[in-house]
Amino acid sequence: MSQAGDYAAVKKDIAALLHQPEYDDGSAGPVLVRLAWHSAGTYDAETDTGGSNGAGMRYEAEGGDPANAGLQHARVFLEPVKRAHPWITYSDLWTLAGCVAIQEMGGPEIPWAPGRTDFVDDSKLPPRGRLPDAAQGADHVRHIFYRMGFNDQEIVALSGAHNLGRCHADRSGFSGAWVQNPTRFSNTYFRLLLAVDWKHKQLPSGIRQFMYIDEDLGEELMMLPTDIALRDDAKFKVWVQRYAEDRDVFFEDFTKVFAKLMELGLKRDESGSVLNTDNVKGGYIS
Ligand code: ZEM
């Protein structure tokens, strides 16, 4: 067991578990990034509720939300890390794991600070329905992300996370990866969004997404309706173009906005300590 507060030891153990030859594209990284995002993406600025503080996905009401289908895999990957470092809260562990995964997959280093606490029961969980629905368009995307306090530029930068991982028919209903190398963080998602003539595709389940067959690789790539909305909305498109052209600008903007996402709802004093820990406490709840 590590000493309380030894986050370097935790980061090392997270980095060591990313390599999962039997899982998806060989990495736990993408699903860990999605866990971090869904833990934070429930934030509502107006009521100051939701967000990563609390680790509400440990409870059925949030963890069993169809929007969170598949994220139990991410939580299971992290259990040995929690057992080795029982002093870390789940809310800190999930957010830290997302940051470590991004960096280990070739992305930028995301500034991260600890101090989140875990709910002691399920009385403070955010309601379901706060996470985005991929079947919808630009208005919906704005509605969801403006609620968290993000602007159009930040929405597009955050969406660059779709460089990573894939859709699973048995989780979201959508199917496939956005890029050919889904365990390598880059701006390829934006470049493909603009470069390719995306075609409608209806899956056997009736779900509609977009597809492109890479003739050279014989591989099929996909986009969600919400991804295509970023290309087709004039204000979003400006940022899609910017990030497609300049990887460094994307990395810089992504760093800031992902760090902001991980902090939603946290109030810190000047020394960085989290102040809003009422009704929550740290501790091991399995
Ligand atoms: Zn995603 N995302 N996402 N996303 N996402 C999926 C997968 C991943 C949307 C969405 O509906 C989906 C952000 C924004 C939005 C990741 C990160 C981030 C999947 C596939 C869907 C359907 C899930 C499955 O079947 O396993 C929508 C509608 C979004 C906004 C409009 C933001 C913001 C993210 C992080 C910053 C990641 C990494 C994945 C891949 C997960 C995996 O298991 O491979």
Side-chain angles (χ1 to χ4, degrees):
M1 195 202 291
S2 62
Q3 208 168 352
D6 187 357
Y7 293 101
V10 180
K11 284 166 86 167
K12 204 170 152 233
D13 284 359
I14 294 166
L17 71 77
L18 295 179
H19 181 63
Q20 295 285 343
E22 304 294 313
Y23 178 77
D24 267 11
D25 302 287
S27 173
V31 79
L32 292 180
V33 174
R34 189 164 197 242
L35 177 68
W37 136 240
H38 276 206
S39 80
T42 55
Y43 187 65
D44 173 41
E46 202 175 300
T47 57
D48 193 22
T49 56
S52 64
N53 209 15
M57 261 188 266
R58 289 167 301 135
Y59 301 103
E60 171 59 22
E62 188 173 338
D65 183 342
N68 288 326
L71 294 180
Q72 69 276 12
H73 293 280
R75 296 194 293 276
V76 168
F77 281 132
L78 291 173
E79 250 340 273
V81 183
K82 174 67 175 167
R83 279 197 296 275
H85 312 278
W87 50 266
I88 195 171
T89 58
Y90 279 104
S91 42
D92 274 346
L93 178 60
W94 295 349
T95 50
L96 180 60
C99 297
V100 170
I102 288 164
Q103 192 178 357
E104 291 292 318
M105 291 186 284
E109 180 176 0
I110 314 283
W112 174 91
R116 294 163 194 78
T117 41
D118 294 342
F119 292 134
V120 288
D121 60 37
D122 62 1
S123 62
K124 301 275 174 190
L125 300 178
R128 291 184 179 187
R130 286 191 176 180
L131 293 163
D133 172 0
Q136 300 207 41
D139 288 353
H140 169 76
V141 172
R142 285 200 172 90
H143 171 75
I144 295 284
F145 284 89
Y146 285 6
R147 188 207 69 220
M148 294 178 230
F150 292 115
N151 63 30
D152 288 356
Q153 172 263 316
E154 291 173 312
I155 293 170
V156 177
L158 272 176
S159 302
H162 283 172
N163 272 285
L164 300 172
R166 58 175 55 253
C167 299
H168 306 76
D170 60 341
R171 298 183 190 176
S172 62
F174 296 94
S175 182
W178 290 267
V179 304
Q180 284 127 11
N181 186 353
T183 62
R184 188 84 198 152
F185 196 81
S186 76
N187 65 343
T188 306
Y189 161 84
F190 296 117
R191 292 197 284 115
L192 284 171
L193 200 45
L194 296 177
V196 165
D197 182 18
W198 294 96
K199 303 281 189 208
H200 279 281
K201 175 174 180 169
Q202 187 154 353
L203 302 180
S205 59
I207 284 200
R208 293 166 66 84
Q209 60 183 49
F210 290 80
M211 73 123 178
Y212 157 72
I213 296 171
D214 188 310
E215 300 288 353
D216 297 335
L217 289 152
E219 209 174 335
E220 186 173 321
L221 299 174
M222 65 88 62
M223 289 283 167
L224 298 166
T226 43
D227 297 311
I228 296 295
L230 302 180
R231 181 199 69 183
D232 291 349
D233 178 276
K235 289 188 183 131
F236 284 143
K237 189 176 185 176
V238 173
W239 293 105
V240 173
Q241 285 169 325
R242 184 93 178 92
Y243 298 142
E245 280 160 16
D246 196 328
R247 193 200 82 126
D248 293 346
V249 171
F250 166 55
F251 273 36
E252 210 173 291
D253 286 358
F254 184 83
T255 303
K256 284 188 217 140
V257 75
F258 197 80
K260 176 175 168 179
L261 176 67
M262 296 298 100
E263 284 288 308
L264 293 179
L266 296 171
K267 283 165 199 63
R268 296 183 186 273
D269 66 16
E270 276 154 33
S271 73
S273 299
V274 175
L275 297 170
N276 48 333
T277 59
D278 48 322
N279 293 308
V280 295
K281 79 163 194 225
Y284 185 75
I285 306 167
S286 60

